[in-house]
Amino acid sequence: MFYQHPDFIDHFITLIKKCNTTILDIYKNDFDVLLKDDQSPLTCADEKSNEIIVSYLKELNISLQEKTQETFTIISEESKKELYEERKECTYSWLVDPIDGTKEFIKKNGQFTVNIGLAKNGIPVFGIVSIPVSGDIFIGIEGIGSIKYDITGKKTELYVPQEKDMNKKNIIVVASSSHCNKETQDFIDSLNEPKLTNIGSSIKLLAISENKADVYPRYAPTSEWDTCAAHAVVKYAGGNVLDAYTKEELRYNKENLLNPYFIVY
């Protein structure tokens, strides 16, 4: 498939590094913070990163549609969304969060990411996530697996053990720095003397893919662009991103772009 081709992957690494550089140039200086209609914060770093990514994807889609005869749509947090009636028949959907963890970006704690995911008929098949401050880049690809590149270019294959006893003591739980509510606490309390780590953004899913944590419960609202890319990284490392109640895998390009509550194992 086209998303498994080395040139395709290399171009996305170059793209996300460009976003990292743009974002960090703003991060290191003072910047204004605006509030969107839903009262979530927005900075010029979100907007510039979004412009870089969406511009690239629009050109790429033209090329891919000609080669594959398939249809593509782009769903980005910071762009106008196509109506469901216009995008529901698309085979492929790009899910873009130009900065996941804008609150963490504003706090300047480094816990924010750039996320570009690709879903085929609702299932993630490719995802790339960067942590601009560390320079780490994570990629998950159907049929290939999941890989981490550090800032030096060192490559590490990611693998999540298939069998973990969730009843054992000292399970490592990763949870949101900003959204640890009663439902999340109830889940944590149901475990056997767990160890809790609070982290912002999609770094929580990446922690599962790196075996730095055993489980990530998310009983708070998220949108499809928050999870698709890191979902691919977890999935192709051997992990699961499942609806907290139905235990079915999260799907993308739904009519309602909110995710159900989910658990990452």
Side-chain angles (χ1 to χ4, degrees):
M1 297 300 292
F2 63 87
Y3 48 80
Q4 298 167 331
H5 195 281
D7 286 347
F8 178 93
I9 299 166
D10 288 345
H11 289 158
F12 269 92
I13 291 174
T14 299
L15 173 70
I16 212 160
K17 284 182 176 179
K18 182 178 180 181
C19 291
N20 288 353
T21 299
T22 300
I23 289 167
L24 289 175
D25 284 346
I26 297 167
Y27 182 72
K28 293 172 183 176
N29 296 288
D30 294 331
F31 50 83
D32 293 330
V33 179
L34 304 176
L35 289 179
K36 295 186 285 188
D37 290 343
D38 64 359
Q39 298 304 299
S40 61
L42 177 71
T43 72
C44 60
D46 297 85
E47 295 176 319
K48 289 187 176 182
S49 178
N50 187 66
E51 182 180 344
I52 292 168
I53 296 167
V54 172
S55 177
Y56 178 81
L57 293 181
K58 284 180 176 178
E59 290 190 14
L60 179 62
N61 284 354
I62 294 170
S63 173
L64 289 175
Q65 285 171 180
E66 290 176 352
K67 291 177 181 178
T68 66
Q69 303 303 305
E70 300 285 7
T71 49
F72 292 75
T73 187
I74 302 170
I75 304 170
S76 171
E77 179 176 17
E78 308 304 347
S79 296
K80 184 178 179 181
K81 318 300 185 288
E82 281 189 299
L83 296 174
Y84 182 64
E85 292 302 315
E86 298 171 349
R87 59 179 168 81
K88 68 178 181 179
E89 301 300 332
C90 291
T91 304
Y92 290 96
S93 48
W94 293 103
L95 282 302
V96 177
D97 195 343
I99 296 182
D100 181 37
T102 300
K103 291 179 181 178
E104 316 308 324
F105 178 87
I106 294 166
K107 294 175 185 175
K108 296 196 174 186
N109 65 15
Q111 296 178 11
F112 57 90
T113 57
V114 180
N115 300 261
I116 309 170
L118 178 66
K120 180 180 181 182
N121 296 321
I123 299 297
V125 294
F126 171 86
I128 182 166
V129 182
S130 71
I131 306 175
V133 169
S134 69
D136 292 335
I137 296 173
F138 296 75
I139 304 175
I141 311 166
E142 179 190 51
I144 293 180
S146 293
I147 302 161
K148 174 187 176 181
Y149 296 91
D150 70 15
I151 196 167
T152 70
K154 179 184 175 183
K155 176 180 175 181
T156 304
E157 294 185 4
L158 303 176
Y159 175 72
V160 178
Q162 295 299 299
E163 298 296 332
K164 287 190 176 181
D165 182 2
M166 298 303 292
N167 293 314
K168 72 177 183 180
K169 286 187 178 181
N170 300 323
I171 284 286
I172 301 173
V173 182
V174 64
S176 171
S177 297
S178 305
H179 300 280
C180 196
N181 55 20
K182 183 179 184 300
E183 291 90 341
T184 305
Q185 191 60 53
D186 287 345
F187 178 92
I188 294 168
D189 290 343
S190 72
L191 300 174
N192 188 0
E193 299 181 22
K195 295 182 177 179
L196 177 62
T197 300
N198 292 112
I199 309 174
S201 75
S202 60
I203 295 173
K204 295 182 288 296
L205 286 95
L206 301 179
I208 301 292
S209 74
E210 288 192 274
N211 288 304
K212 291 182 177 178
D214 298 306
V215 62
Y216 163 35
R218 180 68 182 209
Y219 290 89
T222 58
S223 296
E224 292 187 2
W225 48 77
D226 293 314
T227 57
C228 183
H231 182 164
V233 176
V234 171
K235 180 181 177 71
Y236 298 113
N240 296 296
V241 183
L242 306 178
D243 184 305
Y245 301 107
T246 69
K247 305 306 179 187
E248 295 178 353
E249 184 176 18
L250 263 58
R251 298 184 68 90
Y252 298 88
N253 194 23
K254 306 185 307 299
E255 182 173 8
N256 182 349
L257 292 172
L258 289 176
N259 290 321
Y261 294 165
F262 61 86
I263 300 176
V264 186
Y265 294 99

